[in-house]
Amino acid sequence: MTPFDEITSDVPLVTPFQTMWNAAEETLLATQPQGFEVEDIGRRAWALLPEAERAQAFDELFYTYWEAVMADRETWTARDGGVS
């Protein structure tokens, strides 16, 4: 591992979809202070995303969903006393 790799190993990777998500959320917070749904952020982020980045973003959405499903299962297993 190079010194650069060591220094940057703790820096989180920001994907194009995350960048567009953050931009969409900021816009909605500014333009719709009465509130909005998470789907509004996602749809706006997807629309802002360059076509070339969409395949990677689609995979990212699948993995993010899977991580949430697994975390939910782990939470329910822990609540049920370790019985899955």
Side-chain angles (χ1 to χ4, degrees):
M1 193 179 256
T2 68
F4 179 80
D5 293 334
E6 289 178 21
I7 293 169
T8 60
S9 65
D10 292 332
V11 177
L13 175 65
V14 179
T15 66
F17 186 65
Q18 288 172 311
T19 302
M20 294 301 102
W21 181 281
N22 294 343
E25 183 180 20
E26 287 178 22
T27 298
L28 289 169
L29 285 168
T31 61
Q32 297 184 26
Q34 73 280 5
F36 48 87
E37 300 295 326
V38 68
E39 293 92 346
D40 298 330
I41 303 170
R43 286 188 179 99
R44 182 178 286 259
W46 188 262
L48 292 170
L49 197 64
E51 186 71 33
E53 302 292 344
R54 289 188 177 177
Q56 178 185 350
F58 200 61
D59 290 344
E60 184 178 343
L61 290 170
F62 283 144
Y63 281 104
T64 302
Y65 181 78
W66 180 248
E67 288 175 1
V69 167
M70 295 307 294
D72 191 50
R73 287 180 185 167
E74 290 173 8
T75 298
W76 283 107
T77 298
R79 286 183 186 167
D80 293 339
V83 179
S84 38

